[in-house]
Amino acid sequence: MPIEFPTVRVEEPGAATSLGVIAAHAARLLLENEQKVAVFESSTGGLLAAALQSCSGASKYITFNTVTYSKTYTAAILPGLKLDFPRPKNSDEYRASKNEWTASVSAQMRELVPDATWCVSESGACGPTFNYDGISTGFTSICVTGPVTKGVFVESDTADRERNMRLFVQAAIDLLSECITEAAETAARATPNAEAVPAAASTAAEPERFKTVNDRYGGVMATAISGVTATEFSAVLAQRIPAWKAEGKRGLWLKIPAECADLVGPAVSAGLAFHHAKPEYVQLTMWLPETSSPLPLYSFTQIGVGGVVVNSQGEVLMVQERVSPAEQYQGSWKLPGGLADPGESFAQTAQREVYEETGVTGELDGVVSLRHTHGVRFGQGDLYVLVRLRATSEKLVLDDHEIAVAEWMHPDRIKSLVEWDHTKMYKDKVSKTNWEMISNAVYGRLVSGTEMPSTRGASMLYVAS
């Protein structure tokens, strides 16, 4: 539905009002409702953001602000923002274009600044000179998008730049306050028996049904608890989802533990979508705004690691699997390796797989290559990482369930076993692809890996030498 921009005429104030006084009411509402605002302004020159930032607690509710007059610089600040508007031909088109500009910018900011509950866009002309004939006093368009979306076209009776900037800032903050208040009232009405309290308070978890916490991106993370029937759960979702929407919440993440599995049906019926499942729980999501969802997908790429293990004689460890994934490769010579377990580095995966399959241990020399494939098992992507290991033990102790034969081979022998015709069977042969990977590992340059500390435990940084 198009946004309406009623025209409001404001008069020159008798005395300047401090920025803190102008923004105090909106700042209090933002803090009470635990909401954040992003500001994109033009003719007010940063004064709108400055007014909001002048109030105590601003770091809790200001998430983004910028001032720009150029499409080029705008694209640099907010990559992805589309501003393909035709140049106005006259003053009437120029004034009308500002409503289209602010509506488009504020709507797109909701996508590009995901932790903002509210996005405010402003664009106009404050004077004292103007780009088109027929304009002699200041004007601006202001649009606020969020749980409530409203616009206003503000006309001034003066061409005094500084005074117009203050007038337009006051109008923008008044519109923001109006939207926040309306959203809070809507949220209160959406919750039966809700008292007249700020929206933040009305989002409090119903302890007998949910455990909830607000995330850093303006969303809600909820966990169902046992003891709730499917009928009760369905009823509370019917109440809470509209309330969360009215309060400007964005992503809803609902975790249903395994012991509450009977609540999955009501959640899906309420519009939540499956995100992923583990033995302990099912995770569902819902994007609450009426825009496309930017919520991240669950992991969709598996990691496999192969090891080119080189011993003290310069020989490479080769194996034949007891059962190959394809008949063409049955009995072929290949490198040991397998899928990574959670929490493993590339080197750790290769070391574990090599040891489990052959009893050989080794230390990382470096990463040789990466191969990225799509549409593998369960439709996942597959990232195959090849590493070179320096053998620290060379005695072969095979896993008879997985490996039929293993040998240390000189690279020249491996090359002599290559089957260059990819249409033939590979029994007792080496595929061209495997030889190329081995050759790169033995004769090529490696990417070195360094363990680095992080807040989530050790991580590996790989840098080309």
Side-chain angles (χ1 to χ4, degrees):
M1 181 180 296
I3 302 172
E4 295 185 3
F5 284 82
T7 299
V8 175
R9 190 165 184 83
V10 292
E11 296 182 355
E12 183 178 349
T17 305
S18 73
L19 295 179
V21 172
I22 290 175
H25 181 56
R28 180 178 59 80
L29 290 173
L30 288 166
L31 288 170
E32 287 179 349
N33 289 279
E34 297 180 358
Q35 295 174 342
K36 294 185 178 182
V37 63
V39 177
F40 189 110
E41 55 190 311
S42 179
S43 63
T44 49
L47 201 62
L48 173 54
L52 290 166
Q53 288 178 326
S54 69
C55 299
S56 177
S59 62
K60 295 181 179 179
Y61 59 77
I62 286 278
T63 185
F64 173 91
N65 64 271
T66 188
V67 182
T68 180
Y69 304 94
S70 162
K71 292 182 181 180
T72 302
Y73 294 133
T74 297
I77 294 169
L78 279 174
L81 194 65
K82 298 178 181 178
L83 300 171
D84 299 326
F85 302 107
R87 181 175 177 78
K89 298 176 182 178
N90 52 51
S91 60
D92 289 339
E93 287 187 4
Y94 178 58
R95 287 162 56 93
S97 71
K98 294 301 182 180
N99 290 341
E100 183 181 4
W101 172 282
T102 57
S104 178
V105 168
S106 58
Q108 292 180 69
M109 284 176 67
R110 291 273 288 165
E111 299 281 346
L112 298 173
V113 188
D115 61 337
T117 313
W118 303 98
C119 293
V120 184
S121 176
E122 178 275 334
S123 184
C126 287
T129 59
F130 301 93
N131 293 334
Y132 289 83
D133 293 335
I135 301 177
S136 58
T137 58
F139 69 92
T140 196
S141 173
I142 302 164
C143 186
V144 176
T145 57
V148 172
T149 296
K150 290 189 175 185
V152 66
F153 188 84
V154 182
E155 294 182 333
S156 166
D157 62 355
T158 179
D160 185 300
R161 186 178 186 84
E162 181 179 349
R163 290 185 175 179
N164 278 337
M165 288 171 71
R166 287 183 172 272
L167 283 170
F168 299 161
V169 166
Q170 180 71 71
I173 289 177
D174 287 347
L175 185 63
L176 174 62
S177 299
E178 180 182 332
C179 290
I180 298 173
T181 300
E182 183 174 326
E185 292 173 349
T186 301
R189 289 194 298 270
T191 305
N193 302 319
E195 299 177 3
V197 295
S202 68
T203 64
E206 300 190 29
E208 72 277 11
R209 297 177 176 90
F210 285 123
K211 293 179 181 177
T212 63
V213 62
N214 294 330
D215 65 26
R216 291 173 55 84
Y217 302 98
V220 179
M221 295 184 292
T223 301
I225 61 174
S226 58
V228 181
T229 68
T231 301
E232 291 171 336
F233 197 65
S234 181
V236 76
L237 285 176
Q239 297 170 2
R240 296 307 304 141
I241 289 174
W244 280 324
K245 287 182 177 180
E247 293 163 11
K249 300 303 180 185
R250 299 169 74 76
L252 169 58
W253 297 85
L254 175 60
K255 179 184 288 186
I256 299 182
E259 62 268 23
C260 304
D262 57 327
L263 304 182
V264 172
V268 173
S269 296
L272 283 95
F274 290 106
H275 189 263
H276 68 274
K278 289 195 171 184
E280 302 84 10
Y281 66 86
V282 173
Q283 181 76 61
L284 301 100
T285 64
M286 175 184 283
W287 182 244
L288 298 172
E290 297 298 325
T291 58
S292 59
S293 171
L295 295 178
L297 300 175
Y298 191 58
S299 303
F300 51 86
T301 300
Q302 65 182 17
I303 298 175
V305 185
V308 178
V309 188
V310 182
N311 67 12
S312 58
Q313 305 300 313
E315 297 170 320
V316 176
L317 180 60
M318 302 293 288
V319 301
Q320 289 185 2
E321 294 178 314
R322 190 162 292 282
V323 179
S324 294
E327 184 179 355
Q328 183 184 12
Y329 290 90
Q330 186 63 46
S332 65
W333 290 105
K334 65 180 288 290
L335 297 167
L339 292 177
D341 286 340
E344 285 185 332
S345 67
F346 299 151
Q348 289 169 339
T349 299
Q351 289 165 331
R352 175 182 54 77
E353 287 286 343
V354 167
Y355 179 74
E356 289 175 353
E357 293 178 5
T358 69
V360 172
T361 60
E363 296 294 335
L364 177 69
D365 276 340
V367 173
V368 179
S369 60
L370 302 175
R371 183 198 67 208
H372 194 190
T373 308
H374 296 286
V376 190
R377 188 170 52 172
F378 309 124
Q380 288 189 310
D382 180 81
L383 188 65
Y384 180 74
V385 183
L386 189 67
V387 303
R388 191 175 80 185
L389 299 179
R390 181 177 66 261
T392 54
S393 71
E394 301 181 16
K395 183 179 179 181
L396 298 177
V397 181
L398 306 188
D399 177 357
D400 293 334
H401 296 287
E402 201 169 343
I403 303 299
V405 184
E407 288 186 23
W408 291 103
M409 294 186 183
H410 191 276
D412 290 344
R413 185 186 171 204
I414 297 173
K415 185 176 181 181
S416 71
L417 296 175
V418 173
E419 175 55 74
W420 301 98
D421 185 348
H422 67 86
T423 65
K424 293 186 176 181
M425 302 295 285
Y426 286 106
K427 180 174 174 55
D428 294 323
K429 295 290 186 177
V430 176
S431 71
K432 176 175 175 284
T433 301
N434 264 288
W435 165 243
E436 289 175 345
M437 292 190 296
I438 294 167
S439 178
N440 288 333
V442 174
Y443 305 115
R445 300 174 66 179
L446 302 177
V447 175
S448 60
T450 304
E451 188 172 300
M452 298 184 64
S454 74
T455 56
R456 298 185 179 182
S459 62
M460 295 293 293
L461 175 67
Y462 299 94
V463 180
S465 56

